[in-house]
Amino acid sequence: MICAIDFGSCRIRSVFRNPQTPGRLTMFSERSEYTLLPNTEEHRFSLDFKAVPYAECNQALVVFGNHAAKVQWLSRIPCTALLAGGVVPSDDAPARQMLSLLTEAMLPLSSSGAQDLCVMTVPGLRDGSDQSKSNEGFLQRLVQLRGYHPLVVNAAQAALLATCSDSLFTGVSLVIGAETTIIGVARLGMLIASETIAIGGNWIDTELAKMFRVQMFDEAGTAYLNIESVRQWKIESGVNLLTSLGDRERTLARLYTTLLGRVSRTVAQILETPHVGVALQKQRLSVMLAGGAVMVDGFADLLTEQLTQHGIADRILSVRLAPDPEIAVVRGALIFGELESRVLKMEVAA
């Protein structure tokens, strides 16, 4: 069996072929967050009445995954991220246990041990630091506990495999996650250059919440930024980055422009590197967009403007949103796993 799991700072997604019907895929998506509720009889009654599973921890009730959003009306503070900043918490044992439970629920138990492969993505910066190695090691162990051999893949390469068949898997892949933005340049499906920028959709939402005081308050009057409210507003308001009307819309457009200006500058630098020039010559490239933050209206047009301003419009053939941008990475990870499995089988046969 081949599985894929995308450990995201906002959501964790997994996909695998249904063992009974291999022609169909099974996919799970869970929010990577939890909420703490007072351990009172009234709160336990409300959770039991709604059939919401919970655990008791340090005199509090803990609800995590998709259930956390369902009980937000019982809490006066925002949910807590399980992977805050794209980092596995080293000082939050309950959060680490919740990550373990979510992984266990989202990956079927391997039936053949080391022969089964699970392709995975790791959140945050993969810069070789001790923290980066610790993150990757912990998440790999969670996958190994389900009986799989873990294989880490670059999210940009995965997204390209899922979306760029019409360009022979050659082009620029841009994945804007919650905490990072990953840029990959590939030729025939092989990644030849990649860069990660340490800001993503959460930076935009947090800055907007700060500027417009989008807050919620606990019983003591302590204010918390209501990031979820900003996310919902972006979806429900129908805002377009190129035709912003109010102050909040114009501020959102400025924040996206800042991010995409940095992305365009990085793409220009990558294309100027000698080994990329040799691999691609002067070929014009498609740019494929994935990740939840790219789904706001006007995103592709705004990126096109920034690419033009940075002098590389002549290198770009098109700028397109991936079909289902939020699941492009996990779909591509499964494709990567199936391709890798074929190679391994050929090597064994040889």
Side-chain angles (χ1 to χ4, degrees):
M1 177 181 287
I2 310 298
C3 292
I5 186 164
D6 175 20
F7 286 103
S9 298
C10 185
R11 282 188 174 273
I12 300 173
R13 295 180 173 89
S14 69
V15 63
F16 51 91
R17 293 196 180 277
N18 190 303
Q20 284 71 42
T21 53
R24 303 188 66 178
L25 299 179
T26 298
M27 181 174 291
F28 292 103
S29 177
E30 289 280 344
R31 296 169 74 106
S32 48
E33 60 188 16
Y34 68 93
T35 190
L36 296 177
L37 302 173
N39 190 354
T40 67
E41 184 177 346
E42 291 79 7
H43 284 85
R44 289 195 299 272
F45 175 82
S46 296
L47 294 175
D48 291 336
F49 181 77
K50 294 289 187 179
V52 174
Y54 61 90
E56 296 189 28
C57 179
N58 296 330
Q59 300 181 341
L61 304 177
V62 183
V63 182
F64 61 94
N66 291 340
H67 293 294
K70 296 178 182 178
V71 301
Q72 191 59 45
W73 61 279
L74 289 171
S75 176
R76 292 179 177 268
I77 62 175
C79 292
T80 302
L82 288 169
L83 294 162
V87 176
V88 175
S90 59
D91 56 352
D92 189 346
R96 293 166 73 92
Q97 182 64 27
M98 285 180 251
L99 284 169
S100 177
L101 291 171
L102 285 174
T103 304
E104 181 179 343
M106 298 174 70
L107 289 180
L109 190 63
S110 168
S111 58
S112 56
Q115 296 179 10
D116 283 345
L117 184 67
C118 181
V119 180
M120 55 184 285
T121 65
V122 177
L125 295 173
R126 297 181 65 202
D127 54 5
S129 64
D130 290 342
Q131 184 181 75
S132 172
K133 293 176 182 178
S134 176
N135 274 3
E136 188 169 317
F138 177 81
L139 296 175
Q140 284 182 318
R141 286 192 293 275
L142 295 185
V143 170
Q144 289 170 335
L145 287 172
R146 299 302 289 162
Y148 295 93
H149 172 69
L151 178 62
V152 179
V153 67
N154 182 291
Q157 183 179 11
L160 183 120
L161 289 175
T163 58
C164 291
S165 60
D166 59 342
S167 61
L168 300 179
F169 307 106
T170 299
V172 180
S173 177
L174 174 63
V175 180
I176 301 186
E179 298 292 346
T180 58
T181 297
I182 304 174
I183 304 163
V185 177
R187 180 178 181 271
L188 301 176
M190 299 298 295
L191 200 66
I192 56 178
S194 178
E195 291 289 342
T196 300
I197 300 173
I199 57 174
N202 278 355
W203 173 77
I204 293 173
D205 298 339
T206 300
E207 289 299 309
L208 200 67
K210 288 178 181 178
M211 293 178 186
F212 290 91
R213 296 181 178 274
V214 183
Q215 299 172 329
M216 57 193 306
F217 300 86
D218 64 13
E219 294 178 350
T222 305
Y224 299 86
L225 292 178
N226 193 346
I227 307 300
E228 185 60 29
S229 176
V230 173
R231 292 173 183 158
Q232 291 300 319
W233 169 77
K234 287 197 303 183
I235 295 172
E236 297 169 0
S237 67
V239 60
N240 188 299
L241 298 178
L242 295 184
T243 58
S244 305
L245 300 177
D247 289 342
R248 185 184 289 195
E249 290 86 347
R250 284 190 288 269
T251 301
L252 180 69
R254 285 198 299 271
L255 292 169
Y256 266 100
T257 299
T258 299
L259 173 59
L260 294 184
R262 190 168 172 182
V263 166
S264 300
R265 185 163 58 251
T266 303
V267 171
Q269 292 169 350
I270 291 174
L271 295 180
E272 289 174 0
T273 56
H275 74 282
V276 173
V278 170
L280 297 175
Q281 299 300 318
K282 290 298 182 180
Q283 181 179 356
R284 298 184 70 190
L285 304 172
S286 297
V287 179
M288 188 61 73
L289 311 174
V294 309
M295 297 175 67
V296 61
D297 288 344
F299 183 95
D301 293 330
L302 183 59
L303 176 58
T304 301
E305 287 186 358
Q306 289 299 309
L307 293 170
T308 300
Q309 290 184 19
H310 284 79
I312 54 173
D314 61 328
R315 298 297 313 276
I316 304 303
L317 181 64
S318 63
V319 178
R320 299 178 292 162
L321 259 66
D324 296 321
E326 292 183 299
I327 63 172
V329 171
V330 74
R331 285 178 51 238
L334 182 65
I335 295 170
F336 186 94
E338 293 185 333
L339 293 173
E340 188 70 16
S341 178
R342 293 176 189 175
V343 172
L344 292 174
K345 288 179 180 178
M346 291 172 62
E347 292 177 349
V348 170

